Amino acid sequence: MRVRVGAATDIGQVREGNEDSYLVEGPLYAVADGMGGHRGGEVASSLALETVQQLFERHEGTLADQVAQANRTVFDRSQSDRSVSGMGTTLTAALIDGDEVHLAHVGDSRAYLLRGGQLTQLTEDHTLVHRMVVEGEITPEEAETHPHRSILTRALGVDESVQVDEGDVRVETGDRLLLCTDGLTGMITEDEIGRTLLDSADPQEAVERLVNLANRAGGIDNITAVVLDFGDDGERSGAAAGSAIHRPTSQPPVTEGAPPGASASSAAAASRPSTDTTRMAVLPRPVPPRQPSYRGRRIGIWAGVTVSLVVLAIVGLRLFLDTQWYVGVSNGRVAIFRGVPAEVAGFELHSVVVETALSADRAESMVAWRQLPEGITVDDRAGADAVVEQIRKDLARAEQPST
Ligand code: MN
């Protein structure tokens, strides 16, 4: 089976670095989405892919074994190097073996198969919201906009061992396989992805159009896509594109004839969503006094402006903090806070609203709740209650004997 490849990664419109990586080293293809701070994320995703690739070259174990070993490698590095402690990554890999594709997968990057105009997701997201959908707590539509849709229940490199999903697909001539990170699937719908894959003549055109669409939709995350086309002209499978692990530090591939959307970045950048820190800075600004007639009056006006500014700032901050909610830790327990998880000049910008009986230590020991000590921000009180409820269920489940 002949394989043609397209691959692209892009920083997106908001992030300051690209923590995604991809591997195009036929017959092995993969994407990885790193997390754990800027440097940690970059190291985790590229180290995981390098490890899988090296083990594959040495013919050590199955693809799933290689991914499991990559978990261990990333975990060990995270333990020994403080600058990347706590890092982790998703990994979705495809190994082409004749007309058989072996898949190995951890996290919320995805593999899709386009066959006969139909797009099918081959992987299952290891996310909190996916589990909530499976358990009927929320609808798939609610999951798409859920504030915690990026909380992973499984990731590579965060624990000594990890459960790797495995699967095989038999491919046919005309099939198109997509590997992508959540920076794509979080920004555009599966309908758009399917249509774009159908409309694109070759795999490189497909990945570039997908990246452009995600950027135009806001590009709030790094975006990575690898597309494989399967044909039967008798050639050996291999990488048509240059073989390489694409590390986040290098530039995205420059290609000729990019669609018009390729330069959409500056336009979309103007409308990038503000982060919490910038939102805090949006307080009323003083209006400078017009034409002060003499110095005394000028000082008076400035003093007045300063006082009103301080008052406005305090009122604004108060109003702002009253509408902010997060779930964090108080006295070793899981707790709901109003405000933001920070302090300024010794003043804490939050207060405990509810301290539950749930042990924070036990919650933090689960991958999904690792961020608890830093505070899991939510949209409102209902969101906070939902998170606490989920932690309660997870702890109860962990207590049951494993099946
Ligand atoms: Mn991502």
Side-chain angles (χ1 to χ4, degrees), residues 307-369:
V307 167
S308 8
L309 173 63
V310 168
V311 169
L312 280 174
I314 290 170
V315 170
L317 183 62
R318 187 75 256 161
L319 288 173
F320 169 77
L321 291 176
D322 279 351
T323 60
Q324 302 301 301
W325 296 85
Y326 71 97
V327 178
V329 179
S330 171
N331 298 318
R333 310 268 175 89
V334 176
I336 295 176
F337 293 79
R338 181 179 275 188
V340 292
E343 61 176 59
V344 168
F347 291 98
E348 295 195 327
L349 300 182
H350 50 254
S351 54
V352 177
V353 177
V354 178
E355 192 177 297
T356 70
L358 304 170
S359 155
D361 273 354
R362 291 188 45 232
E364 282 163 43
S365 68
M366 299 179 169
V367 176
W369 307 115

Side-chain angles (χ1 to χ4, degrees), residues 20 33 181-183 221-222:
D20 285 1
D33 178 353
T181 60
D182 68 332
D221 195 4
N222 307 143

Side-chain angles (χ1 to χ4, degrees), residues 15 19-20 32-35 90 108-109 150 181-184 220-224:
R15 297 294 175 91
E19 298 170 31
D20 285 1
D33 178 353
M35 63 191 196
T90 72
D108 67 349
S109 298
S150 60
T181 60
D182 68 332
L184 180 72
I220 62 169
D221 195 4
N222 307 143
I223 309 147
T224 301

Side-chain angles (χ1 to χ4, degrees), residues 17-38:
N18 191 347
E19 298 170 31
D20 285 1
S21 295
Y22 67 74
L23 169 67
V24 171
E25 185 83 64
L28 183 59
Y29 305 91
V31 296
D33 178 353
M35 63 191 196
H38 207 158

Side-chain angles (χ1 to χ4, degrees), residues 10-16 182-184 186-188 210-223 265 268-269 271-273:
D10 192 83
I11 191 170
Q13 304 297 319
V14 175
R15 297 294 175 91
E16 285 172 2
D182 68 332
L184 180 72
M187 298 312 301
I188 62 174
L210 289 170
V211 166
N212 288 335
L213 283 172
N215 267 325
R216 273 185 255 174
I220 62 169
D221 195 4
N222 307 143
I223 309 147
S265 50
S271 61
R272 67 179 56 167

